Amino acid sequence: MEKLLSKIPEELRSLISKLREQALAQDLKVYLVGGFVRDLILGVKNLDLDIVVEGDGIKFAEDFVKPQEGKIIVHKHFGTATVFLEKIFKVDFSSARKEIYPKPAHLPIVSPGSLKDDLFRRDFTINAMAISLAEGTIVDYFDGQDDLRNKKIRILHDLSFIDDPTRVLRGIRFEQRFNFSIESKTLKLLKEAVKLRMLEKVQPHRTRDDLILALKENNPIGNIIRIKQLVGFKFIHPKLRLFANNFAYLRSLEKEIKWFDKNYPQRRGLDVWLIYLIGLVDSLKPLAIRNICDRFGLRKGEEKRLLGPKQVTRRFIVDLSNPKIKPARIFALLNPLSYETVIALKAKYNNPVLKRHIADFLEIYNDMCIFVSGDDLHCLGLSPGPRYQEIFTLVLNAKLNGEVKNKEEELSLIKELLNKRHPILRGVAPNSKGTLP
Ligand code: CTP
């Protein structure tokens, strides 16, 4: 045990020591459980601790957070608490519990239980191991270590997928992540649950969460392929099917995401799951995509980004594919769109000119700004108002098109516009001096 713990970061080890000291001082049986234990044995980095207390988990969490700088969120209803420490560490606490599923695919009824009950209610043997903090030993009632060694995903009891059908997606996710295989009886029961369309009976937000997790994995396309083989996509939408062209699009998305990450690490990180979801639902009409958003309770901003590539017009694509298009027009077309939509368009259209224009937008135009400010316009005798924004847009367009390069040229352009009485400046008297201070 000590050997295993010696491999984790020092701060995490000292955190675990503190938890251990508190457990010993309060004479409580406290365990590390779940994914952290699995990853510790596998030697995979995991900073999320899951703690189970045979007793009051919330009280243990409150006592733990008191002497240190941390934030605690208590979910009284679920008997759990989450503690956030120094931003990177998240520790989930819960009281050991027993679960009974009164109805398939519905949330369980929970009551206090032993550690064994708590481990037995879990999804797979590899996630159902614990480490006793007091004794520093691994507790492995269901041979999770054997399954880790043999690279097997195995459920703990025959009704596991019926009780909680989201485990179908979780099983695929762990299979793909660790390159394990789903053990034969588990696979048979998984297929039976699929046949009974159990996944369609779960509250949609729960399948949504597991679908998003699958799309956030390192190998989302592997997950999608496996979902196609074992489950199908009816749980997303009754009409959703994927063919070779959809997979070609998904691969192209993967390539463009890598391109973006490599070239623009300093920009806002992409919501990669959303880009893969764009690829996944590409064969559907906008109305069907809206229905998915409603059913899955996606946020308005997510819905907008998901629908982005569907909402560009033919004219938009023709313009963006025109080698003679001016930079200001490229900017006007792409700037209102999210990065996710822009990346999806770059992946979707196999047109080198369009791809180059998108790359230019991200590389040059997206970051371009002008030097003149509101103060400068004021000095020129323009009173503040919506016109300011219109002037800035004119100047920016000129800059994008290479017609002005520095502040002097920007100001000259504005003065020229004033003298020629450009339509947006109509009704504005130029400064009596017509010069800058
Ligand atoms: N769990 C479960 N059934 C579920 C969800 C979770 O049994 N439908 C249990 C598993 O024991 C899991 C633990 O709760 O290990 C924590 O859940 P989660 O954080 O989702 O899983 P991790 O195993 O930590 O997965 P990941 O590495 O993806 O964070």
Side-chain angles (χ1 to χ4, degrees):
M1 190 62 258
E2 287 307 316
K3 206 169 148 208
L4 280 178
L5 286 175
S6 70
K7 290 184 193 149
I8 64 175
E10 171 59 35
E11 295 98 316
L12 200 54
R13 234 178 318 153
S14 93
L15 189 75
I16 293 172
S17 290
K18 280 187 198 155
L19 287 162
R20 180 169 186 267
E21 279 161 28
Q22 185 181 324
L24 289 171
Q26 298 186 343
D27 195 20
L28 281 170
K29 289 186 174 164
V30 181
Y31 304 88
L32 281 163
V33 294
F36 179 81
V37 178
R38 174 200 70 216
D39 288 345
L40 187 70
I41 298 171
L42 285 174
V44 171
K45 186 176 172 190
N46 187 339
L47 301 180
D48 294 341
L49 298 187
D50 255 327
I51 298 288
V52 165
V53 179
E54 279 189 329
D56 188 341
I58 294 180
K59 165 95 177 31
F60 190 83
E62 286 168 343
D63 291 345
F64 181 68
V65 80
K66 234 178 261 164
Q68 28 198 345
E69 272 188 40
K71 203 178 111 190
I72 182 165
I73 298 177
V74 173
H75 307 280
K76 271 240 146 46
H77 181 70
F78 295 107
T80 61
T82 303
V83 169
F84 297 91
L85 295 165
E86 296 159 27
K87 287 186 200 145
I88 34 169
F89 298 124
K90 177 167 101 42
V91 190
D92 283 315
F93 294 83
S94 63
S95 310
R97 62 187 198 247
K98 203 188 258 178
E99 287 182 348
I100 297 169
Y101 286 84
K103 245 172 126 184
H106 283 64
L107 290 178
I109 295 172
V110 173
S111 57
S114 64
L115 174 73
K116 193 168 185 180
D117 293 325
D118 196 284
L119 295 176
F120 186 64
R121 72 178 175 85
R122 290 170 187 264
D123 50 3
F124 305 109
T125 57
I126 59 167
N127 292 340
M129 293 177 282
I131 293 174
S132 156
L133 283 183
E135 285 148 32
T137 49
I138 296 181
V139 184
D140 183 10
Y141 295 116
F142 310 107
D143 300 329
Q145 291 177 98
D146 278 353
D147 285 335
L148 274 186
R149 261 190 299 275
N150 298 323
K151 299 175 177 276
K152 293 285 177 209
I153 308 289
R154 187 193 308 271
I155 45 174
L156 279 84
H157 59 88
D158 289 3
L159 286 179
S160 189
F161 292 122
I162 303 291
D163 285 345
D164 179 357
T166 63
R167 289 173 179 167
V168 168
L169 296 177
R170 289 178 65 84
I172 290 175
R173 186 152 59 85
F174 293 121
E175 177 205 60
Q176 291 299 306
R177 185 193 296 174
F178 299 122
N179 203 11
F180 282 14
S181 59
I182 301 176
E183 170 275 328
S184 62
K185 187 173 171 206
T186 300
L187 189 62
K188 181 174 155 271
L189 292 166
L190 182 152
K191 287 179 179 168
E192 280 174 22
V194 170
K195 228 184 217 162
L196 291 170
R197 304 172 69 161
M198 293 309 297
L199 215 41
E200 291 157 60
K201 295 176 186 157
V202 181
Q203 285 170 306
H205 74 267
R206 296 186 55 221
T207 37
R208 170 203 65 196
D209 289 350
D210 272 296
L211 175 66
I212 291 176
L213 287 174
L215 300 181
K216 281 183 175 175
E217 287 287 318
N218 275 340
N219 177 14
I221 299 182
N223 276 268
I224 296 173
I225 292 173
R226 209 55 180 136
I227 294 173
K228 177 179 159 82
Q229 287 169 348
L230 293 177
V231 187
F233 300 101
K234 285 204 174 119
F235 74 96
I236 301 176
H237 189 277
K239 289 201 175 135
L240 185 58
R241 276 172 198 78
L242 257 60
F243 300 101
N245 61 325
N246 304 111
F247 280 101
Y249 183 26
L250 286 164
R251 298 239 176 260
S252 181
L253 287 169
E254 182 179 47
K255 192 173 132 215
E256 297 302 345
I257 291 167
K258 281 193 185 139
W259 171 84
F260 183 93
D261 286 346
K262 182 165 164 250
N263 289 290
Y264 307 105
Q266 75 288 7
R267 301 264 170 95
R268 159 174 91 70
L270 296 171
D271 277 324
V272 168
W273 67 268
L274 202 130
I275 298 182
Y276 283 107
L277 194 54
I278 289 175
L280 199 53
V281 300
D282 183 54
S283 61
L284 297 175
K285 299 223 162 75
L287 183 63
I289 298 177
R290 273 199 196 93
N291 287 341
I292 295 174
C293 292
D294 281 351
R295 217 168 46 82
F296 276 173
L298 293 182
R299 299 194 190 102
K300 278 289 152 218
E302 292 166 342
E303 174 171 339
K304 193 170 164 221
R305 286 184 284 164
L306 199 54
L307 281 162
K310 293 265 167 196
Q311 287 174 332
V312 298
T313 58
R314 244 193 82 71
R315 172 76 203 277
F316 178 107
I317 298 302
V318 169
D319 276 8
L320 209 53
S321 311
N322 177 356
K324 296 205 175 110
I325 187 180
K326 290 223 170 159
R329 176 80 181 134
I330 299 177
F331 183 83
L333 290 172
L334 295 174
N335 197 49
L337 307 181
S338 67
Y339 282 157
E340 285 77 10
T341 303
V342 170
I343 290 300
L345 291 173
K346 188 163 184 271
K348 191 171 170 77
Y349 294 94
N350 201 11
N351 176 316
V353 176
L354 177 143
K355 283 185 194 285
R356 181 164 50 78
H357 285 155
I358 290 181
D360 285 349
F361 166 73
L362 291 168
E363 184 67 37
I364 315 165
Y365 316 141
N366 190 215
D367 273 344
M368 209 171 249
C369 39
I370 56 175
F371 297 110
V372 284
S373 64
D375 284 349
D376 296 321
L377 297 187
H378 197 236
C379 288
L380 286 173
L382 295 167
S383 41
R387 254 186 314 242
Y388 270 32
Q389 196 46 53
E390 293 171 27
I391 295 170
F392 292 146
T393 304
L394 274 176
V395 175
L396 179 63
N397 284 346
K399 189 156 186 187
L400 287 162
N401 290 340
E403 292 151 12
V404 295
K405 289 190 180 58
N406 49 37
K407 185 163 180 179
E408 253 188 340
E409 291 181 12
E410 290 177 13
L411 288 165
S412 306
L413 173 70
I414 297 169
K415 282 188 226 161
E416 202 182 307
L417 293 170
L418 282 167
N419 289 334
K420 285 190 188 159
R421 298 262 165 175
H422 189 281
I424 66 160
L425 301 170
R426 216 162 269 149
V428 177
N431 180 315
S432 56
K433 290 180 229 149
T435 51
L436 280 171

